[in-house]
Amino acid sequence: MNDHFKIYEHSRQRNVLDVRNLSVAFTGRKTKKTVLSDVSFSIRPGETVALVGESGSGKSVTALSLLRLIERSGGVISGATYFTDNDGQTVDILAQDEKELRAIRGNKISMIFQEPMTSLNPVLSVGFQITEAILAHRDVSAEEAKREAIDLLHKVEIPDPERRFGDYPQQFSGGMRQRVMIAMALACKPSLLIADEPTTALDVTTQARILDIIQRLKEEMNMAVLFITHDLGIVSEIADRVMVMYCGSIIEKADTRNLFNAPSHPYTSGLILSMPAVGSARGKGVPLPAIPGTVPAVWQGARGCTFSPRCSYAIERCRHETPLLQRRNPHSFVEVACHRAAEIRSMLGSLLPWVEAGELGITA
Amino acid sequence: MAGYIGSKVVKALITLWLIFTVAFLAARISGDAMDFIMPEGMNEEAREAMTSYLGLDKSWLEQYWLYVRNVFHGDLGTSFHFRQPVIDLYTQRFIPTLTLCGLAMLLSMAISIPLGVIAALKKNRPAGFLIQSAAFLGYAVPNFVLAILLILVFSFHLGWLPSSGSDTMMHYIMPVTALACTLIASLTRFSRSALLDVLSQDYIRTARAKGVGNFSVLTVHGLRNAMITIVTVLGLQVAALVSGSVVIENVFSWPGIGELLVFAAIKRDYPLLQTGVILVGTIVIFINFIVDVVYVLIDPRIQPGS
C-alpha cells in the first residue's frame, strides 16, 4: 500500500461522503446518454456543501444516484460512493444490495425534495408517513414512534403537532408540508441530509424559515448537508463549500467565500455577475449580463470543454481538449476545470469590491 | 353523513323516475301489447273488452299518471301475461341477479387487481405483455359468445358443469365467469395503468428514500392510491355489468330479473317491463352507492356531503 493511498484512506475516514468518479448514463436500445460524468467530491461531517447549477446540469441526478434512486428510471451508475456514518462504519453505496440500501435510506442518509406538494402521499396522514420512517429502521413500539413523530413535528415548528398528527398533506400549506418532509427525513438522525432544492417551490418568507429550520437541526444533530440549489443567494447564506455543476460535470469547487469573491471558472463568474441585488444601481436601465445560449440537454461532443460553445474566453484548445478538474495552484483548495482559469482570473480580478458594495445579490 | 345519504337517496329516486319514464315510453312506442296478448283472429269486441280491462284504452298520459299513483300506493301492477302481481314475480328473482352481479364484481376485483399489479411490475417483460394481450382479448370477446363457448366446452363436451339453473355452487361457475370476463379485462388494464401512473409519482420516490420496503411501497403507497382510479372505473362499469347480466341470465336460464325482463320486452308486458327496468336501475344505483362509500374510505380528500 503506497503512501498516497494511505493518505487517501485516512482522509476517507474523516469524510461522511466520498464520491469517486460517479457517472450516470441512460441507455436506450441504440443510444447511450451520459448525464453525469466523473463526478468526484467529498463531504466532511457537519459540513454544508452546496451543489449549484442551472436546470438540467445534473444536480438532481447526482442526489438521486447517491441514494441509488435513479436506477428504476433506467439510469446506470458507475464509480464509487463511500459513505461513513457517525459510528465510523464505511460502505460503498454503489456496492450495496437492495436490503442494505434500505437500511441506509432514510436512516443514515435522508433526502428532501423540491416539490412539497407532490412529495407526500395524499392518502396517508402525515403522522403515518413520519412514523413509517421511524418504524422502517428502528425497533420501537407504535406508541413510541408516534411520540417521536409528534416531537419531530414540534422541532420543525409545526403548531399544535398533537392535533395535526392525523391530518393529511392537503390540509397543510407548501411550507408546512416541507416541514413535514424535513421531520420525516430527520426521524432517524441521519449523518447526511441531501436537500434537493427544498425551498425552490416556496415563497421567499417561507424559504427563509425552512432554511433556518434546516440550519438549526443540522447543528443539533451534527449532520452534514448536501444542499442542491440554483439560488446563489441561498448558497452564500448557508454553505461552507460550493460545487458548481455544468452539463453533468463539476467545473469548480471552492469554499463559499472564495467562490464569490474570486470565481475561477468563466461560467461561475457569469452566474455570479448575472445576479441582481436589491437596491443596487447595477442592472437599472441596463440589462444584467447574461450567459449567452442555454445548457445543452446532454453533452453530445466527445471532446472539448462542455461550456466552450457559450464561453466568450474559449480558444481552439477548449474545443478539442476536455479540461480536468484540478487545483488552481498547488497551494489552493480551489479546484477548477478550465484551461484558461489563471489567465481569466487575472483579467477579471476580484469580485470582492462588488460584493462589498452590495452590487451582487450575495453577502460577503 | 346522514345528510350525505339523504341527498344520495333523493338523487337515486329522481334517477329511477327518469329511468321508469323512458321505459314506459319505449315500451309503448315499440309495439302494442294487445298484439301479443290476443291470439290471431280474435274478434274486435273481445279485443276492445280486453283493452279496456287492462286500461290500455286510456291515453298514455292517463296510463302514466295511474301507474305512478299506484306505485306510490305500493302497487307495481299486474303482469298481462302471468296475471300475477309483478312484485311477486320479481321477489324470487331479485336475489339471484344481485348474487350473480355481486359475485362477478368480486371475482373481477380478485383477479384483475393482482393481474394489473403484475402487468405493471413486469412492464416490457413477457409476463406483462401476456397479461396485456389476454386482457385485450377478453375485452374484445362479447360475453354471450363466451357464455356459449363455455357451455359448449364444459357442459356439452366435457360434461363437467351444468348449463342452466342456479341450484348448486356448480351452477354459478360459468355464468359468473362469463359475466365477469369483460370487467376482468378492462379492470386489469385500468389497474395496470393506474398503478404505473402512481408508481411514477414523487411520493413513491419519497417512500423509497425513507427506506420503506418494496412490498410496502407497492401496497401502502402504490395500491392505495391506484385503488381510487380502479374504484372509479368499477363504478362506471357496474351499469354495463348489470345490463350484461340480462343476456347472461338468458343464456344460462338463470332465474333472475334479466330472464324475465327479456320475456317482458318481447311480450310487451308493460307492468312487468317497467318494474324490471326499475329493479335493474335500483341494483345499479345500489352498487354505485357502495362504490361511493368505498371511495370516501380510501381517499381522505373526498369529504362526504361537501
Side-chain angles (χ1 to χ4, degrees), chain A residues 64 69 72 98 102 105-106 113 115 118-124 128-129 132-133 136-137 168 170 181 184, chain B residues 201-214 216-217 220-222 224-225 228 298-301:
Chain A
L64 291 170
L69 289 166
R72 278 178 191 277
E98 186 65 29
R102 274 212 301 279
R105 289 175 185 156
F113 299 95
E115 284 293 336
T118 55
S119 294
L120 289 167
N121 194 325
V123 302
L124 302 171
F128 178 89
Q129 296 187 58
E132 192 187 28
H137 301 290
Y168 291 89
Q170 63 276 5
M181 283 294 291
M184 211 160 78
Chain B
Q201 297 293 315
D202 287 351
Y203 53 77
I204 296 294
R205 190 182 58 190
T206 307
R208 290 214 162 96
K210 271 197 287 193
V212 173
N214 278 336
S216 268
V217 168
V220 177
H221 292 269
R224 178 91 190 259
N225 279 284
I228 298 169
I298 44 177
D299 192 349
R301 284 167 295 188

Side-chain angles (χ1 to χ4, degrees), chain B residues 38-98:
Chain B
M38 302 301 289
E40 275 305 314
M42 277 295 268
N43 64 45
E44 274 306 302
E45 272 167 51
R47 189 181 167 112
E48 266 166 39
M50 195 60 175
T51 310
S52 76
Y53 174 72
L54 294 175
L56 295 176
D57 53 341
K58 297 185 179 70
S59 74
W60 284 6
L61 202 65
E62 246 175 304
Q63 289 180 40
Y64 183 78
W65 165 242
L66 281 173
Y67 195 83
V68 171
R69 205 186 57 184
N70 287 341
V71 168
F72 274 99
H73 288 105
D75 178 14
L76 287 159
T78 305
S79 163
F80 293 168
H81 189 268
F82 296 101
R83 305 307 311 147
Q84 281 179 50
V86 288
I87 194 77
D88 294 348
L89 290 165
Y90 278 116
T91 333
Q92 300 290 317
R93 292 172 172 267
F94 192 71
I95 297 298
T97 296
L98 201 62

Side-chain angles (χ1 to χ4, degrees), chain B residues 209-265:
Chain B
K210 271 197 287 193
V212 173
N214 278 336
F215 185 74
S216 268
V217 168
L218 179 68
T219 51
V220 177
H221 292 269
L223 266 183
R224 178 91 190 259
N225 279 284
M227 278 312 282
I228 298 169
T229 313
I230 296 171
V231 168
T232 309
V233 172
L234 193 65
L236 294 171
Q237 302 273 338
V238 163
L241 183 83
V242 175
S243 58
S245 78
V246 172
V247 176
I248 294 298
E249 283 180 8
N250 275 278
V251 175
F252 290 101
S253 306
W254 190 262
I257 297 170
E259 201 196 25
L260 199 56
L261 197 61
V262 171
F263 176 86

Side-chain angles (χ1 to χ4, degrees), chain B residues 108-123:
Chain B
S108 312
M109 285 168 70
I111 291 178
S112 60
I113 295 172
L115 278 183
V117 170
I118 296 168
L121 296 180
K122 304 279 177 194
K123 193 180 80 163

Side-chain angles (χ1 to χ4, degrees), chain A residues 32 49 74 82 106 115 145 166 186 215 224 232 240 248 250 252 268-269 277 292 304 313 360:
Chain A
K32 184 184 174 191
V49 176
Y82 298 103
E115 284 293 336
L186 303 187
Q215 285 286 84
L232 292 174
D240 300 313
I250 292 177
E252 181 163 1
T268 315
S269 53
Y313 302 97
L360 301 175

